[in-house]
């Protein structure tokens, strides 16, 4: 449906193509989006990273059939070098019952100065936030690339499947 690209934030705040930011952000369907070339320097605080889709709150949201490709050198965006993570999909601790299916999460962002990690899917909460997480493809590259995070880094498909709940059909 949508192509979202070419967003560059040279300030210190978060950048995302799609953001679900309030507790009343519920029962939405985020689907069929092609998101790429979203980049920032990410130095304003722990949640001010570089995200394709940023889910800060809400419940029963569905993230289906999206392709998110984050790429580039974050060190070149601004004078201040990035220190915060990037993630194709970021889920906060105040999100509940999120349904994540049939997506491609591809993150090759790099920032060699401070080495912030580049995640496919970053979940700041526990597996209980997921209603479902299945049939997703995870791709990361380079020394900063990490498939996922849920309390700790998840670097293998087996860890993704074990930690994201009903994730038996995700692939790497």
């Amino acid at each position: 449906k949508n192509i979202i690209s070419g967003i560059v934030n040279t300030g210190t705040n978060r950048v995302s193509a799609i953001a679900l930011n309030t507790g009343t952000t519920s029962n939405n369907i985020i689907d069929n989006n092609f998101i790429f070339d979203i980049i920032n320097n990410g130095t304003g605080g722990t949640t001010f990273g570089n995200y394709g889709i940023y889910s800060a709150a809400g419940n029963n949201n569905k993230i289906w059939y999206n392709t998110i490709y984050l790429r580039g050198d974050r060190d070149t965006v601004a004078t201040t070098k990035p220190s915060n993570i990037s993630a194709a999909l970021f889920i906060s601790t105040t999100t509940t019952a999120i349904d994540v299916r049939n997506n491609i999460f591809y993150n090759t962002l790099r920032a060699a100065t401070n080495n912030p990690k580049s995640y496919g899917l970053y979940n700041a909460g526990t597996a209980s936030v997921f209603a479902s997480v299945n049939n997703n493809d995870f791709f990361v590259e380079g020394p900063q690339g990490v498939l996922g995070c849920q309390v700790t880094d998840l670097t293998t498909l087996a860890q993704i499947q074990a930690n994201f709940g009903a994730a038996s059909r995700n692939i790497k």
Side-chain angles (χ1 to χ4, degrees):
K1 288 183 178 181
N2 299 301
I3 296 173
I4 305 168
S5 69
I7 300 173
V8 177
N9 180 354
T10 59
T12 61
N13 291 325
R14 169 187 326 108
V15 67
S16 61
I18 297 173
L20 304 168
N21 280 324
T22 68
T24 58
T25 306
S26 298
N27 301 308
N28 293 296
I29 298 174
I30 309 299
D31 67 341
N32 294 313
N33 296 289
F34 180 39
I35 299 168
F36 66 100
D37 291 346
I38 311 298
I39 195 165
N40 79 337
N41 74 336
T43 58
T46 57
T47 62
F48 291 115
N50 195 129
Y51 311 115
I53 297 177
Y54 178 80
S55 179
N59 65 55
N60 200 36
N61 290 312
K62 294 163 181 51
I63 298 176
W64 296 341
Y65 299 102
N66 298 286
T67 297
I68 304 167
Y69 180 27
L70 303 179
R71 64 181 177 169
D73 184 352
R74 293 172 70 199
D75 278 348
T76 64
V77 174
T79 305
T80 305
K81 303 304 180 203
S83 53
N84 292 332
I85 67 161
S86 66
L89 174 60
F90 179 93
I91 301 170
S92 79
T93 58
T94 55
T95 299
T96 58
I98 193 166
D99 187 344
V100 181
R101 297 188 214 183
N102 304 305
N103 298 285
I104 299 171
F105 302 123
Y106 193 177
N107 190 346
T108 65
L109 283 171
R110 61 193 181 284
T113 302
N114 294 323
N115 292 310
K117 293 181 180 175
S118 299
Y119 293 97
L121 192 159
Y122 186 96
N123 178 19
T126 65
S128 65
V129 304
F130 294 113
S132 177
V133 53
N134 231 326
N135 295 326
N136 298 293
D137 295 339
F138 295 83
F139 300 96
V140 294
E141 290 180 11
Q144 293 167 277
V146 182
L147 291 177
C149 183
Q150 183 164 288
V151 181
T152 62
D153 288 350
L154 309 173
T155 59
T156 68
L157 179 58
Q159 289 173 327
I160 293 283
Q161 292 169 332
N163 284 277
F164 287 159
S168 62
R169 292 188 303 255
N170 290 301
I171 65 170
K172 170 185 163 199

